[in-house]
Structure formats: C-alpha cells, structure tokens
Amino acid sequence: MDRDRVSQSLAVLDRREESGAIAVMLLAMELRSKWSDRTGGGAETPDFFPIKLVSLLEVFTRACVAELIDHGPPYVDRARDLLRGAANKFDFNAVRALHGRTLRLGQFLAEQLPISRLDHIEAYFSTLYGAQLAQLLSETHEKYAAAYPYFKKTKLDLPKSLANLRRLFEVRHILVHEVTKQHPYQEDEIENFIEDVNFFLHVAHDLLEERSEEHTSELQSRFGISYAVFCLK
C-alpha cells in the first residue's frame, strides 16, 4: 500500500475543522442566511455560493460514507464495490487492516472517492445502502415530513431537486475550471441551489440516522439472543 496515500488522507483530516454531517448542515443553513442578508453589505460575491455549496455536499458525502463504513456490516462489506473502476488502485485488505488504528477505514476510503458530479454521490450512497438513493430519499421524506416543520414548508419534487443539484455541479465546474464569455448561471438560480442543498442534506441525514439506528438495534438484538442462549447452556 502506498504510504503517501495514507499520509495525504491524514493531512486532509488534520487541516479540517469539524467536518461531520451535522456541522455541514449547520454551515449550509448559515449560507442560506448569508444569501438572504447579502443586500446588507456581505463580502461574498454570487460566485462564492455555488462553489461553497458543492464543497459542502462533498464534505457531507465523505462524512456519511465514512460513518456508514465504520459502522460495520453490511456497509463495510459493500465498501469494496465503491472502488470498482476507480483510477487509484490499492490493496483493499491492507487498507482495511488500518481500521481501529490511526486512520479508520471509512475515513480513508471516503477520501479516495472522486466527487465531481451528483452521479458520484448517488452511486456511493446507493451502493452502501443496497438500494437506489432517490427512492430512499423519497421514502425518508414521507416518514419525517409530518415530524419536522422544516419539511412542511418544502413541497417535495425530488426529480426537480436532483436536477437542480446536477445543475449546481455543472455551474461550479464552469466557475472553477473554465473562462467563458457568458456567466454560467442566473443569479435567481442561487436561491434554488441553496434550498435544494439544505433539503438534500436534511433528508439524507435522516436516512443515515435511521439506517444506523436500525443496524445498531439489529446488532443489540443478535447479541441479546446470543447472550440468552449462552446463559441457557
């Protein structure tokens, strides 16, 4: 295994501040406030927002992928599939041996995944959950829409929301990597980008918590049954 790859991953983690899913959600909500207050003399230019929003989606995805893998089976068992077709090849079993040491397996693998399109995010979550992300998000929203006022204010149009996120990635790519004659977005698109990112983060996080709780309850049940059988012997 390439030691430099491990060192690079550790360096990324060291220079980040709090980068968990909850922290990213709070930053996204703060970004919404900054956009609303921009007429009050804010320092951020409109281009700042698409670039920052994609960064938040990237960090959120890596945090969730790491958490799921480090949670154990079945997610860690599906982690190998995340690496298929990746440009960077390394010994999966050797990397897995790092788990529980300085760098957790989930953290390391999450840092290796390319995230330059929404398709990447959908593919990673779908692989780990064993089902299509769009369907899972729709089901999760239906479960929690009545529980949280945030969702009551948001009419779910998942295809449109995901289309806006794809458009966001496209805009970010143009802003960062191209010099164009025309501006790549209309300023009124930014509010939709911000709302759809916040919506995605909230629903995806509820899905993460639900699956994590289900897995923990299943493990507790298995351990309880095993302990009961042990006591009967």
Side-chain angles (χ1 to χ4, degrees):
M1 181 182 56
D2 188 350
R3 291 175 57 89
D4 289 341
R5 194 79 61 75
V6 177
S7 299
Q8 290 171 6
S9 297
L10 288 170
V12 169
L13 295 172
D14 287 342
R15 65 174 174 260
R16 281 183 180 167
E17 297 182 0
E18 180 58 45
S19 57
I22 293 291
V24 173
M25 292 164 64
L26 293 174
L27 290 172
M29 295 175 69
E30 179 183 332
L31 210 60
R32 175 199 283 172
S33 298
K34 286 185 176 181
W35 177 252
S36 299
D37 299 339
R38 68 194 184 285
T39 56
E44 292 82 5
T45 64
D47 288 356
F48 164 82
F49 291 89
I51 295 171
K52 185 65 174 180
L53 286 169
V54 170
S55 296
L56 292 178
L57 285 171
E58 177 184 346
V59 175
F60 177 85
T61 299
R62 295 191 193 284
C64 292
V65 167
E67 183 174 338
L68 285 170
I69 294 174
D70 289 336
H71 207 67
Y75 311 113
V76 69
D77 299 324
R78 297 169 181 160
R80 186 189 300 270
D81 292 334
L82 294 178
L83 307 174
R84 290 181 178 174
N88 298 322
K89 304 293 183 179
F90 54 88
D91 187 343
F92 179 90
N93 293 324
V95 176
R96 188 168 184 173
L98 287 171
H99 187 52
R101 300 183 184 177
T102 304
L103 182 65
R104 296 196 303 274
L105 174 65
Q107 289 178 320
F108 180 82
L109 293 183
E111 289 301 327
Q112 311 311 309
L113 300 175
I115 303 177
S116 59
R117 305 191 308 269
L118 182 65
D119 292 351
H120 290 146
I121 295 176
E122 290 180 302
Y124 301 149
F125 280 122
S126 296
T127 297
L128 290 175
Y129 287 130
Q132 290 299 309
L133 178 62
Q135 180 62 33
L136 295 174
L137 291 177
S138 180
E139 293 171 356
T140 301
H141 174 265
E142 291 178 5
K143 290 179 183 178
Y144 294 100
Y148 298 104
Y150 177 86
F151 293 128
K152 291 179 182 179
K153 299 176 184 177
T154 307
K155 182 179 180 181
L156 178 64
D157 187 345
L158 190 59
K160 183 176 179 180
S161 179
L162 294 179
N164 283 339
L165 294 183
R166 288 189 175 86
R167 167 74 176 144
L168 171 63
F169 272 90
E170 177 186 350
V171 168
R172 182 262 181 190
H173 176 87
I174 295 172
L175 289 173
V176 174
H177 298 290
E178 299 180 19
V179 177
T180 59
K181 295 180 180 179
Q182 296 181 337
H183 213 57
Y185 64 90
Q186 299 294 323
E187 193 166 314
D188 58 8
E189 289 185 90
I190 294 182
E191 185 174 353
N192 289 331
F193 291 155
I194 293 173
E195 290 304 311
D196 284 319
V197 167
N198 274 277
F199 183 74
F200 177 87
L201 296 179
H202 277 78
V203 181
H205 185 260
D206 279 332
L207 173 61
L208 173 71
E209 287 198 324
E210 181 182 80
R211 289 306 181 95
S212 297
E213 289 173 2
E214 287 178 357
H215 174 62
T216 300
S217 298
E218 181 182 355
L219 284 179
Q220 290 174 340
S221 177
R222 289 180 180 178
F223 283 132
I225 293 172
S226 298
Y227 181 72
V229 171
F230 174 78
C231 291
L232 290 173
K233 290 182 177 181

